[in-house]
Amino acid sequence: MSASLSVLAQISALVKIDTDSLDPGVAQRLGPFEDMTSNQAIAYQQAIQPENERLIREAVKEVQEVHANSGEGPDVYLRELLDVVSVKLAYLVSPHLKGKILVQTSPAFAYDTEKTIAHARRLVALFDAHAIPSSRVCVKIPSTAEGLLACKVLESSEPRIRTLGTILFSVEQARAAAQAGCTNISPYFHELRVHIDKKFQVPAAEKPTLDIIADIIAALKGTKTHVKPAGFITVPEAISLARLRPDNLTISAKLLQELATLPAVPETDLAEIKSQIGPRTSDVDYLANGGAHLKEAFINDPEISRRVVDAVEIFGGFERQVLEFLRSGEVGKEWDGKSGWLPFDQRASPSSA
């Protein structure tokens, strides 16, 4: 064991590391990373940084030029503006990646297959327009029945759009994602609320999350779907997950920096935990009949269902926050569909966006 080695370097030698951040500074200092992943919360946190004001103004100008005579409403403009901002932020991180950029479809469409498909295709087209080919893009989609049905269409379409099943907490969701042909899944270690509410107490689970993720890795062994655990927040959690030897680990900027400053641990602390389960097969087609069996699995496990619903709502809240930021003040101004930009305080009604 080298005395100069950090825990991050040790884990990186065992498992591919993804940065769960749109901060190019973190990627430059600690990368290169395999992939970069983002979501509405991460987009909001990065969009409000003062150094990105110019980038947002450029995005506003781009969308204004595209829709100058379209007659489309402000909700259309704001959603497209958020997509362009997300693509531009991701572009800054792309030089420090070996693999793909991951961007998340709108949580507002989590229970609508067709809208999710349309949004995913729009995101990929925007990346292509900003010199990032579709081969470097993977679209994150909530692992609801409707979301995974969208993944199935996107993965089997021509051209193929690679997908990742996110907001995933159960083996049933993982199996459904593999049946959909998802390129990746990200099982969450903690439910999403843990990351935004320090007072939130994690409900007691009958089976520890680490065991569930181990079961997911075993269940998907031999499939083409890669397992990339996410949503963990401590060094011991990162070490425990690395011992499972998933395909990738998705690590937040804060935890990446902490791992990079910690000296190496004994190699035995990172010894592989070999699954005693072995690959599991299932005869259940979770996506048949509009995802009926997956929906039934949610009904049979109210705790998993609660976590999924809560995560969709939380991401939706962050999406509304970033949309509000983009249309307020001097940076984002609302599109009235006809004459140009309307300042925030001149909106026709609070429900117009």
Side-chain angles (χ1 to χ4, degrees):
M1 180 178 69
S2 171
S4 63
L5 214 59
S6 69
V7 178
L8 180 60
Q10 282 183 294
I11 293 176
S12 298
L14 301 171
V15 180
K16 294 177 181 178
I17 303 296
D18 299 346
T19 175
D20 198 19
S21 169
L22 280 167
D23 187 340
V26 170
Q28 183 176 21
R29 290 193 304 273
L30 303 178
F33 294 105
E34 187 64 27
D35 298 339
M36 181 280 296
T37 184
S38 64
N39 55 48
Q40 285 74 21
I42 292 172
Y44 173 69
Q45 293 162 2
Q46 200 63 24
I48 63 176
Q49 300 304 314
E51 63 266 25
N52 289 319
E53 181 177 339
R54 180 177 177 180
L55 178 149
I56 292 175
R57 291 184 183 280
E58 290 174 352
V60 169
K61 184 178 180 181
E62 279 186 31
V63 177
Q64 180 183 18
E65 289 174 349
V66 169
H67 294 287
N69 299 301
S70 69
E72 292 178 323
D75 57 336
V76 175
Y77 155 67
L78 286 169
R79 285 198 179 280
E80 184 163 346
L81 177 55
L82 173 55
D83 290 344
V84 173
V85 168
S86 298
V87 168
K88 284 181 170 291
L89 290 172
Y91 182 85
L92 299 179
V93 183
S94 62
H96 312 293
L97 305 174
K98 302 174 186 176
K100 293 180 172 54
I101 292 168
L102 286 87
V103 63
Q104 188 162 294
T105 56
S106 173
F109 307 149
Y111 304 103
D112 189 315
T113 298
E114 293 306 316
K115 287 185 178 180
T116 296
I117 291 170
H119 192 202
R121 287 174 172 161
R122 173 61 186 161
L123 287 167
V124 171
L126 279 174
F127 274 107
D128 186 64
H130 288 79
I132 298 178
S134 60
S135 60
R136 290 204 66 194
V137 180
C138 180
V139 182
K140 298 173 61 177
I141 294 176
S143 297
T144 59
E146 296 82 359
L148 293 178
L149 286 167
C151 292
K152 186 174 183 178
V153 172
L154 294 165
E155 289 278 1
S156 60
S157 64
E158 185 60 44
R160 174 189 178 192
I161 293 178
R162 291 165 177 81
T163 64
L164 176 145
T166 187
I167 310 181
L168 191 149
F169 299 96
S170 70
V171 173
E172 290 80 7
Q173 286 177 288
R175 289 191 188 283
Q179 290 170 356
C182 289
T183 302
N184 307 291
I185 61 167
S186 280
Y188 281 16
F189 190 89
H190 289 293
E191 60 182 284
L192 193 59
R193 192 163 294 279
V194 170
H195 303 275
I196 63 170
D197 185 354
K198 293 181 179 180
K199 296 180 180 179
F200 179 72
Q201 297 296 315
V202 180
E206 292 184 6
K207 190 169 187 178
T209 305
L210 192 67
D211 290 348
I212 295 173
I213 294 177
D215 284 354
I216 288 172
I217 293 171
L220 267 60
K221 191 176 291 293
T223 73
K224 296 181 179 180
T225 300
H226 294 169
V227 181
K228 301 152 69 88
F232 47 98
I233 56 179
T234 69
V235 171
E237 290 166 358
I239 290 174
S240 295
L241 285 166
R243 296 186 68 188
L244 298 179
R245 301 295 194 268
D247 297 289
N248 299 53
L249 282 178
T250 302
I251 307 180
S252 69
K254 180 181 178 182
L255 187 54
L256 282 170
Q257 293 176 92
E258 186 175 356
L259 291 167
T261 61
L262 292 176
V265 299
E267 292 180 5
T268 52
D269 289 2
L270 282 162
E272 182 178 1
I273 300 175
K274 294 187 180 294
S275 173
Q276 303 300 313
I277 302 169
R280 292 184 174 185
T281 58
S282 174
D283 294 330
V284 178
D285 183 348
Y286 286 98
L287 299 180
N289 300 317
H293 287 299
L294 183 56
K295 292 176 182 178
E296 182 180 358
F298 285 134
I299 293 172
N300 292 336
D301 194 333
E303 176 60 18
I304 295 299
S305 181
R306 180 193 66 79
R307 292 184 179 195
V308 171
V309 170
D310 195 47
V312 170
E313 291 178 351
I314 290 171
F315 279 132
F318 277 107
E319 182 175 68
R320 289 189 292 274
Q321 285 188 62
V322 70
L323 289 173
E324 189 72 16
F325 170 74
L326 291 173
R327 73 175 179 181
S328 64
E330 293 299 319
V331 176
K333 294 188 178 180
E334 192 170 7
W335 179 251
D336 72 357
K338 295 180 181 178
S339 60
W341 303 101
L342 289 179
F344 175 67
D345 57 3
Q346 293 180 21
R347 287 180 299 142
S349 70
S351 62
S352 62

